[in-house]
Amino acid sequence: MNDANEPTGAVEPNGGATGAGVTGATAPTGAAASPEPGAAAGSAGPPGGRHVRVVLVDDHRMFRTGVQAEIGQTDRTGVEVVGEAADVDQAVTVITATRPEVVLLDVHLPGGGGVEVLRRCAPLMAAAEQPVRFLALSVSDAAEDVIGVIRGGARGYVTKTITGTDLVDSVFRVQDGDAVFSPRLAGFVLDAFASTDAPPVDEDLDRLTQREREVLRLIARGYAYKEIAKQLFISVKTVESHVSAVLRKLQLSNRHELTRWATARRLV
Amino acid sequence: MPEAAAVPLVDPRPPRKLYRSSDGRWLGGVARGLAGHLGLPVVWVRLVFAGLFMADGLGALLYAAFWFFVPLGVGGVDSGRPSAFTTETAPDGRRRLVARKPDKGQIVALLLMVVVAMVFVGNVNLGGGAKAYLWPTVLVGAGVALVWRQADNARRARWAEVGRRRRTLNLLRTAAGVLLVTVGVTGIFVLQGSAAHLGSVLQAALAVLVGIALLAGPYLVRMTQDLSEERLMRIRAQERAEVAAHVHDSVLHTLTLIQRNAESANEVRRLARAQERDLRAWLYKPEGTGKDEADEPDTLAEAVRRNAAEVEDKHGVPIEVVVVGDCPLDDGLSAQMQAAREAMVNAAKYGGEGGAVQVYAEVEGRTVFVSVRDRGPGFDLDSIPADRMGVRESIIGRMERNGGTARLRAVPDGGTEVELQMERAEKTS
């Protein structure tokens, strides 16, 4: 299974790849947050000489081809596409066979959707040695789809309109074990964790801290991690840990809103 | 009532077929259908039937035969007259039957029919013995008419949703019809035999009925189930077809325009975005919520999205919208929406080259917060001459007049952000 894989030394977060940060949905940040030298810029060789092995799972061949063309030039982006799959069974087979570091996973797939892939790859995700990490990619606007894959174990969610540069950046972020939130996902999460009268079952998991809320708000407002750090006078690392904490809560919280929350848009 | 030939749904008006009219009728719609078919006024046809009725009830037989064999359809509607069951789309999206008051002609025809029946009953020249059978026969006729009429209604209900209240009425009618027929038939039997045999006659009849029910019951049940299932499928198919038609049309349209404007990147982007929005509105909006672009938005989320869409279309700069929470609009919020729109226009005009404009709106408790940020070259309020009133008036002034606040600031890494805050009016419900 484990083919000789060049060590990437990227199991723990490495602050060098913060680049333009998560910009979400479609905010092309090429011009925005000018990337630091050596950060994921997608133009001058792979960032920091990094390398990541990726599997694409999407039922639209055209889209896979497009992504492959945009980020798959390994010498330029550092992303190596080691496999592709068009449905759930294929995806599980390919992921098991190639053991990639990051899987770009479409939410809507024939055979049960992205959630099913996550369910069947759970052991791979939990592996102590080289865990497989998932980043959800979708055109969907349906909150329950998005929240569903995050709760299924994906480390983040971006819309398909994301630019190549930002996608590469998000892939490295996921490889580092960080979470990737697009503005839209941040909005969904804020909605899901909205303050309600219902007492939280688990104080630690069912509430967002004030700081986490602030960070999510800024993400929803289109800020990159670096900008958030400046705005709140904290380090980018701290921003990342806040976002990861939110992701954890999102995956573990048992608030009933998170399962049924999409049924009623919150009319205050 | 046997299944008459299925009424074709799409009628490209080939040779005119004779249908019974489903509207403006008071019995079987035969007279109206014939009138429509022959191009005569319906009153004449009714008179002819009435006249024939005098001739030893021939009219009634003829009418019954027509009723039995001619399929119900949409024939013989006088032009310029509203259809009897105009369907209206109720607010909840269900189609309702809107009954029309019976017209004068129908009432006259009904009265005439009664009078003719009386005269006929008085004048009919049968053998002394047969005379007694007359009333039961009339009863049976009336009962059969009621039941058949009901069957027609059931068929009509396929074209138009009938409300629940009417359904009980329909059942009552059918029951009344059956009762009339039973009484009539029993009367005939009793007359034939004598009252002494009534008991055994009834028993025999009951036995036959039970037998028929046992034999035909399962078939009938299965048939109704199949029918309702088929109807459901058809409704679904129609719904799908409607969506497909809408989507196909507009997507094809957009694709054509994109090909035509292939050299203008901005235009292509604008077209694609508009189409994407349209599609998303169809796909992700809950059933029955304003898929119509025409109606005024009445909640904050809708208003923000609407404004963003319009600005996007006009200025060709993508605007990303994230809304958290939602609330009904009030005067203050409407002002805030206008200010937000103004901010979006500015962002698109002066900061659009930096990429998408990001709009965020949040309702938290009584506070509504909207931010509009661009990644343009930035913008400093103080450097603007005091006589330029654009931002000062349309954004800041407007917010303050309505009891809110507006803040413009330069974002550290480039771009401008406008923050608008407004307290919601207390609930006036």
Side-chain angles (χ1 to χ4, degrees):
Chain A
M1 277 285 123
N2 238 337
D3 43 11
N5 202 310
E6 51 184 287
T8 55
V11 184
E12 60 243 29
N14 113 11
T18 49
V22 180
T23 45
T26 59
T29 54
S34 49
E36 319 150 282
S43 55
R50 298 184 56 174
H51 178 266
V52 59
R53 301 168 68 254
V54 173
V55 164
L56 298 179
V57 180
D58 196 299
D59 50 334
H60 295 96
R61 201 171 48 80
M62 249 168 68
F63 182 74
R64 290 202 309 270
T65 313
V67 172
Q68 167 80 319
E70 212 163 8
I71 69 170
Q73 298 155 318
T74 316
D75 51 350
R76 197 169 57 80
T77 58
V79 175
E80 183 195 353
V81 179
V82 293
E84 294 186 12
D87 61 39
V88 172
D89 294 341
Q90 242 182 39
V92 175
T93 313
V94 170
I95 292 166
T96 312
T98 57
R99 278 306 285 270
E101 292 158 281
V102 177
V103 178
L104 289 180
L105 180 68
D106 188 12
V107 174
H108 296 286
L109 276 181
V115 177
E116 182 63 17
V117 177
L118 288 161
R119 204 181 56 77
R120 284 163 62 180
C121 290
L124 294 175
M125 268 193 279
E129 190 80 14
Q130 247 214 36
V132 177
R133 297 196 166 103
F134 289 81
L135 174 60
L137 221 71
S138 172
V139 287
S140 172
D141 265 353
E144 57 267 41
D145 293 349
V146 177
I147 299 285
V149 289
I150 298 284
R151 280 176 76 79
R155 306 287 308 162
Y157 163 84
V158 289
T159 43
K160 285 185 178 173
T161 40
I162 190 169
T163 60
T165 314
D166 287 341
L167 185 55
V168 171
D169 203 51
S170 305
V171 168
F172 282 123
R173 208 175 269 291
V174 170
Q175 183 195 23
D176 289 342
D178 285 327
V180 175
F181 276 30
S182 59
R184 190 167 288 153
L185 175 56
F188 287 158
V189 177
L190 281 168
D191 245 337
F193 279 101
S195 40
T196 52
D197 302 336
V201 183
D202 182 335
E203 198 64 51
D204 285 342
L205 286 178
D206 296 352
R207 283 240 172 98
L208 297 179
T209 66
Q210 198 49 44
R211 235 354 175 198
E212 285 163 355
R213 212 174 273 281
E214 279 169 355
V215 169
L216 278 183
R217 271 204 193 100
L218 289 170
I219 293 178
R221 281 161 69 169
Y223 281 62
Y225 282 21
K226 257 183 11 179
E227 294 169 329
I228 296 172
K230 274 189 191 155
Q231 178 83 19
L232 301 177
F233 304 108
I234 52 181
S235 72
V236 172
K237 282 249 63 46
T238 314
V239 175
E240 279 173 356
S241 64
H242 280 312
V243 177
S244 293
V246 172
L247 184 82
R248 195 177 129 266
K249 287 181 183 182
L250 194 54
Q251 288 174 342
L252 298 177
S253 169
N254 281 323
R255 280 176 68 105
H256 66 286
E257 280 98 301
L258 286 180
T259 45
R260 293 195 14 237
W261 74 293
T263 49
R265 288 285 295 160
R266 198 161 55 96
L267 207 64
V268 184
Chain B
M1 167 131 206
E3 277 290 303
V7 181
L9 285 175
V10 185
D11 188 13
R13 310 214 49 84
R16 286 213 313 200
K17 283 181 77 171
L18 174 59
Y19 288 117
R20 286 183 293 115
S21 168
S22 61
D23 34 339
R25 60 190 194 147
W26 72 265
L27 200 55
V30 173
R32 181 166 287 281
L34 268 174
H37 188 66
L38 304 171
L40 297 170
V42 68
V43 184
W44 290 18
V45 181
R46 281 184 182 149
L47 277 175
V48 167
F49 270 117
L52 284 175
F53 196 78
M54 302 289 206
D56 285 357
L58 180 63
L61 283 179
L62 245 167
Y63 195 96
F66 267 120
W67 194 347
F68 202 90
F69 291 112
V70 177
L72 184 68
V74 277
V77 188
D78 314 19
S79 54
R81 233 186 53 170
S83 140
F85 61 108
T86 39
T87 50
E88 249 182 29
T89 310
D92 60 356
R94 294 194 39 181
R95 297 202 315 170
R96 288 257 172 74
L97 199 71
V98 185
R100 202 169 39 74
K101 287 200 182 77
D103 64 342
K104 271 199 225 110
Q106 281 177 295
I107 295 168
V108 169
L110 186 63
L111 285 174
L112 187 75
M113 201 70 180
V114 172
V115 169
V116 167
M118 288 295 170
V119 172
F120 169 70
V121 170
N123 287 3
V124 76
N125 229 345
L126 295 165
K131 182 102 173 171
Y133 287 106
L134 191 63
W135 277 113
T137 314
V138 170
L139 274 184
V140 170
V144 167
L146 253 177
V147 173
W148 282 6
R149 164 93 206 209
Q150 211 33 67
D152 279 353
N153 278 353
R155 301 195 59 200
R156 204 177 68 178
R158 289 190 206 173
W159 303 328
E161 190 77 29
V162 176
R164 186 162 296 283
R165 196 175 48 78
R166 291 181 60 98
R167 214 165 292 163
T168 42
L169 192 70
N170 290 346
L171 274 177
L172 279 178
R173 276 202 205 144
T174 311
V178 171
L179 193 74
L180 279 177
V181 173
T182 317
V183 169
V185 171
T186 315
I188 291 173
F189 271 112
V190 170
L191 284 169
Q192 263 191 328
S194 70
H197 294 169
L198 177 59
S200 54
V201 165
L202 274 182
Q203 266 179 0
L206 198 65
V208 169
L209 270 179
V210 168
I212 288 174
L214 277 177
L215 286 174
Y219 286 108
L220 277 175
V221 169
R222 199 172 317 149
M223 211 154 74
T224 4
Q225 280 173 346
D226 286 355
L227 259 177
S228 61
E229 193 165 322
E230 188 210 344
R231 199 177 305 170
L232 193 71
M233 297 297 280
R234 206 176 33 235
I235 290 170
R236 280 212 190 116
Q238 267 169 357
E239 178 85 2
R240 257 205 304 272
E242 192 188 329
V243 172
H246 171 94
V247 168
H248 285 186
D249 261 16
S250 67
V251 169
L252 287 175
H253 221 129
T254 306
L255 289 175
T256 312
L257 286 171
I258 284 179
Q259 287 171 45
R260 226 182 262 166
N261 295 303
E263 62 289 334
S264 150
N266 262 343
E267 185 63 9
V268 167
R269 204 172 293 131
R270 197 183 64 73
L271 284 167
R273 295 272 310 177
Q275 181 58 60
E276 182 189 354
R277 264 205 324 269
D278 188 41
L279 259 179
R280 284 181 189 283
W282 269 84
L283 292 174
Y284 300 117
K285 269 194 186 166
E287 248 349 272
T289 53
K291 287 192 172 176
D292 223 2
E293 287 259 321
D295 46 8
E296 274 301 299
D298 51 2
T299 70
L300 182 97
E302 254 179 85
V304 172
R305 293 208 172 91
R306 178 75 58 90
N307 279 318
E310 283 166 6
V311 174
E312 193 176 75
D313 275 349
K314 200 165 163 198
H315 297 275
V317 173
I319 299 182
E320 289 298 321
V321 182
V322 175
V323 184
V324 174
D326 200 359
C327 67
L329 279 181
D330 58 38
D331 291 346
L333 295 188
S334 298
Q336 187 182 22
M337 286 302 103
Q338 284 167 328
R341 186 193 176 100
E342 215 56 55
M344 290 180 213
V345 171
N346 278 341
K349 265 195 196 154
Y350 305 114
E353 68 276 10
V357 173
Q358 190 79 34
V359 174
Y360 174 72
E362 181 180 33
V363 182
E364 206 191 9
R366 307 231 56 82
T367 312
V368 178
F369 172 87
V370 179
S371 91
V372 178
R373 101 157 265 189
D374 62 61
R375 293 175 172 275
F379 166 85
D380 182 11
L381 191 61
D382 300 332
S383 67
I384 293 187
D387 56 351
R388 296 277 306 276
M389 297 302 280
V391 170
R392 240 182 268 276
E393 259 319 289
S394 59
I395 298 178
I396 301 175
R398 182 176 271 148
M399 288 302 288
E400 281 167 1
R401 274 196 303 275
N402 285 281
T405 54
R407 216 171 121 229
L408 268 81
R409 54 190 202 91
V411 180
D413 281 358
T416 311
E417 182 159 47
V418 180
E419 295 177 348
L420 309 170
Q421 200 157 326
M422 179 74 77
E423 292 297 307
R424 284 164 58 192
E426 288 305 321
K427 280 198 180 72
T428 51
S429 50

